[in-house]
Structure formats: structure tokens, C-alpha cells
């Protein structure tokens, strides 16, 4: 087997984050160097708790968990309990985790890891606001050229926004952080709502996960059936968009996705459109094409991968 790809997952669980983390922990192609929690869907205290719950559910308490930013760089914190429930992992019952949080701050872990590992060998996978990454870049700008790739769930263009008409939640939580990251020169792969709205947890797909029958799979089904209710009501769709596992699936099977290199800039001023990801999809400017923006996905192939890997936990 080729060398395992070293990754750090920065996350704000969230049921869809949980699916992404479980996919990563079940995939031998990936070496998860650490999981860093950030405030987002629910406050940091809960995202940290939830990361550890998912590690224990996946029988992977060997992976270190770190706590990062409690709040965005500039804006007031916002959360999404209306989507994820009060715990952030509503839909399944979990005991409180017993595995520890590392003493080191997540930002220092990210910096230390990028400076220690050979340049160009560590991939950052972000599933929440970009606060931890932006803080690390502010503290140690020398890490930017050492990042192999930053694969992030966030933004939207043709699909608009999901927390405001213009903005997707992860970007909207901390637009200043997103602006720093998109200007950093790090090679970015962006999984926007334009992709994730094509990844619907239909009844048929959820039934295949339920058929696995294991505790991790059944817990995931419970979480998905809770998580999707908000979007089913909002979009009138069969199932809700499963956002975050797109990041991990890209690392394992990039051929599932299609996209193009574009300039992406973040609205940080207008209160009407703050957090919007302005994507030059049609290349009408000569601005730097700083991100590979995904637009298409083989949804059946994605769920087949997810189901096959969940069965390994
Ligand atoms: O807008 C969807 C994103 O916001 C997902 O990452 C979800 O978990 C929330 O963080
Ligand atoms: Ca998330």
C-alpha cells in the first residue's frame, strides 16, 4: 500500500462532522495525526466532548484530541443547535467520554506538527469555521508553504447560502478567518454547498447504513435521521445534505468529484452579504486562482464509500 496520507481534522461536531471523522478513522489510506476542536455548531466545550465521543464510538482513542478557539477572530459567536440539537450530536445516546483532551492548545499542535513533519506532507481538513487555522497562520506564517493542501467544507456559489441568503455557516461564523486562509497561498480544495447539496441522506442510503447493524452504524443512523429533519423541512428533499464527509471522501477517492481552479474571495464588510464566498467560476477576472472549487460529485459512489467504510468500524 502506498504511504498513508497524514492529516489533521479541524472540526465542530455536528452529526455530519461525526460521519466525516468516522470515515477518516475507518480508512487505512489516512493517518489522522490529531483532531482539533473549534467552536461552531455548538460551543467548544461540546465540540471537544463530541470529538472524543466519536473517537470512542470508533474505538480509536489512540488519536489525540485538542481544543482550539472558543470564539471567532472578530465576530460574536453563533451556533447551530437548531440543526444539530443541544448537544451537537442529538439523535443517538452517548455516555460522557473518558478519553482525555490534550493539554496543548490546538493552534500550537497545528503549528508544531507542520514545522516537525517534512514540508508538503500534512493535509489540513477543516469541517468548521477556519478560526484555528487562521490563528495558526497569524502566529506562525512560516507554516503556510509547509501545508500540502487544505481541504475544507465551506462556502457556496450557485447554491447561495444556508445561514443567510449569501453565506454558508462555516464561513459565516468567522469570515475574517476565512479571508486569512484564502489569502494564505495554501493550496485549497473547497467543498461548497454546490457539492454537498447533492449528497442527500435519502431513506435508501440510510437504510444501507442501518443494515450494517453495528453500534457505530446504528448510532450514525440515529444522528443522520435527527440531523436531516431540519433540511428536509427546509428543502423539501428526501434526506438532508451530508456536508463534511465530502472532505474526507475527496482524500480517498478524488475521482468522485469535479471542479475547477477559481479565484475565491470572502466578503468581510457588507452586513448584507458578510461571509459570502465570491467565486470567479467563469474566470471573468485575472485574480489569482487560489482554490480548486468543487461543483460535481458522484453521490452514489460517495455513499457507497461511506457505507463500506462505516462497516469496518
Ligand atoms: O454549512 C454546513 C457546515 O456547517 C457543516 O460543516 C456543518 O457541520 C456546519 O459546521
Ligand atoms: Ca462541521
Amino acid at each position: 500500500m502506498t504511504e498513508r496520507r497524514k492529516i489533521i481534522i479541524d472540526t465542530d461536531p455536528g452529526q455530519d462532522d461525526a460521519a466525516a471523522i468516522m470515515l477518516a478513522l475507518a480508512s487505512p489510506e489516512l493517518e489522522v495525526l490529531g483532531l482539533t476542536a473549534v467552536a461552531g455548531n455548538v460551543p467548544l466545550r461540546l465540540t471537544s466532548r463530541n470529538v472524543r465521543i466519536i473517537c470512542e464510538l470508533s474505538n480509536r482513542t489512540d488519536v489525540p484530541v485538542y481544543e482550539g478557539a472558543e470564539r471567532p477572530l472578530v465576530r460574536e459567536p453563533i451556533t447551530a443547535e437548531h440543526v444539530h440539537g443541544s448537544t451537537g450530536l442529538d439523535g443517538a445516546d452517548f455516555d460522557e467520554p473518558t478519553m482525555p483532551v490534550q493539554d496543548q492548545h490546538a493552534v500550537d499542535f497545528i503549528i508544531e506538527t507542520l514545522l516537525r513533519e517534512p514540508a508538503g506532507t500534512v493535509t489540513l481538513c477543516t469541517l468548521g469555521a477556519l478560526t484555528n487555522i487562521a490563528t495558526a497562520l497569524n502566529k506562525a506564517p512560516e507554516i503556510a508553504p509547509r501545508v500540502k493542501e487544505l481541504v475544507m467544507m465551506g462556502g457556496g456559489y450557485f447554491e447561495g447560502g444556508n445561514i443567510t441568503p449569501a453565506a454558508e455557516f462555516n464561513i459565516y461564523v468567522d469570515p475574517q478567518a476565512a479571508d486569512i486562509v484564502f489569502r494564505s497561498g495554501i493550496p485549497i480544495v473547497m467543498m461548497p454547498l454546490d457539492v454537498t447539496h447533492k449528497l442527500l441522506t435519502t431513506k435508501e442510503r440510510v437504510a444501507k447504513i442501518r443494515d450494517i447493524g453495528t453500534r457505530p452504524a446504528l448510532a450514525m443512523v440515529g444522528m443522520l435521521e435527527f440531523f436531516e429533519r431540519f433540511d428536509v423541512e427546509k428543502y423539501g428533499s428526501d434526506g438532508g445534505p451530508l456536508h463534511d464527509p465530502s472532505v474526507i471522501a475527496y482524500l480517498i477517492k478524488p475521482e468522485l468529484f469535479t471542479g475547477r481552479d477559481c479565484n475565491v474571495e470572502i466578503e468581510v464588510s457588507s452586513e448584507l452579504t458578510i461571509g459570502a464566498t465570491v467565486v470567479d467560476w467563469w474566470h471573468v477576472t485575472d485574480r489569482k486562482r487560489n482554490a480548486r472549487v468543487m461543483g460535481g460529485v458522484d453521490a452514489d459512489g460517495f455513499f457507497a464509500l461511506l457505507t463500506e467504510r462505516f462497516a469496518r468500524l
Side-chain angles (χ1 to χ4, degrees), residues 60-126:
R60 289 296 310 275
T61 55
D62 58 298
V63 180
V65 175
Y66 301 82
E67 290 183 352
E70 289 187 286
R71 54 160 300 132
L73 296 182
V74 175
R75 286 177 67 83
E76 287 305 308
I78 63 163
T79 52
E81 287 91 346
H82 60 291
V83 178
H84 299 275
S86 59
T87 70
L89 289 185
D90 284 30
D93 294 323
F94 298 108
D95 296 330
E96 288 309 300
T98 56
M99 72 179 283
V101 177
Q102 300 299 310
D103 293 336
Q104 187 177 35
H105 191 280
V107 168
D108 295 325
F109 165 72
I110 291 166
I111 293 169
E112 180 184 275
T113 303
L114 287 168
L115 294 180
R116 179 191 70 240
E117 297 293 331
T121 62
V122 176
T123 298
L124 300 177
C125 303
T126 66

Side-chain angles (χ1 to χ4, degrees), residues 18-40:
I21 294 167
M22 288 168 68
L23 174 60
L25 296 179
S27 297
E29 302 90 337
L30 305 175
E31 181 183 358
V32 183
L33 299 178
L35 293 159
T36 54
V38 66

Side-chain angles (χ1 to χ4, degrees), residues 11-18 38-42 80 83-84 126-129 153-155 161-163 167-171 173 191 193 196-197 227 231 241-245 247:
T11 177
D12 67 334
Q15 291 87 349
D16 60 321
D17 300 69
V38 66
N41 285 320
V42 286
V83 178
H84 299 275
T126 66
L127 313 178
M153 190 279 140
N162 60 2
I163 189 74
E168 176 278 326
F169 181 79
N170 288 339
I171 308 298
V173 167
M191 293 287 169
L193 297 178
T196 66
H197 281 187
F227 167 74
D231 287 311
L242 192 53
H243 306 284
D244 291 337
V247 168

Side-chain angles (χ1 to χ4, degrees), residues 104-307:
Q104 187 177 35
H105 191 280
V107 168
D108 295 325
F109 165 72
I110 291 166
I111 293 169
E112 180 184 275
T113 303
L114 287 168
L115 294 180
R116 179 191 70 240
E117 297 293 331
T121 62
V122 176
T123 298
L124 300 177
C125 303
T126 66
L127 313 178
L130 290 163
T131 315
N132 286 338
I133 310 305
T135 305
L137 287 166
N138 286 341
K139 188 170 183 179
E142 66 271 23
I143 65 172
R146 301 182 64 87
V147 178
K148 176 183 176 66
E149 201 167 43
L150 185 147
V151 187
M152 48 93 62
M153 190 279 140
Y157 187 55
F158 296 102
E159 280 293 294
N162 60 2
I163 189 74
T164 75
E168 176 278 326
F169 181 79
N170 288 339
I171 308 298
Y172 184 72
V173 167
D174 198 340
Q176 283 76 14
D179 188 41
I180 289 167
V181 171
F182 275 84
R183 294 180 185 278
S184 67
I186 295 173
I188 293 172
V189 174
M190 177 176 162
M191 293 287 169
L193 297 178
D194 306 78
V195 162
T196 66
H197 281 187
K198 296 168 181 162
L199 297 173
L200 298 181
T201 55
T202 63
K203 288 181 179 55
E204 181 185 356
R205 288 165 176 166
V206 174
K208 287 178 181 170
I209 298 172
R210 182 183 288 107
D211 288 347
I212 298 169
T214 60
R215 166 148 169 67
L218 296 176
M220 179 46 59
V221 167
M223 287 191 274
L224 293 181
E225 290 181 336
F226 180 90
F227 167 74
E228 73 181 20
R229 84 209 182 291
F230 177 80
D231 287 311
V232 164
E233 189 176 324
K234 180 173 170 181
Y235 299 114
S237 50
D238 174 9
L242 192 53
H243 306 284
D244 291 337
S246 61
V247 168
I248 306 302
Y250 171 79
L251 300 179
I252 301 166
K253 293 190 79 173
E255 63 273 18
L256 290 172
F257 301 90
T258 58
R260 63 175 72 168
D261 293 340
C262 299
N263 173 261
V264 179
E265 299 198 5
I266 311 299
E267 176 59 67
V268 292
S269 306
S270 155
E271 265 310 313
L272 176 62
T273 57
I274 193 160
T277 46
V278 182
V279 177
D280 184 3
W281 183 259
W282 302 113
H283 301 149
V284 296
T285 75
D286 58 1
R287 296 177 193 150
K288 182 174 183 287
R289 298 179 186 181
N290 56 335
R292 167 72 49 91
V293 181
M294 294 300 171
V297 60
D298 168 3
D300 287 334
F302 168 85
F303 279 97
L305 173 67
L306 210 57
T307 306

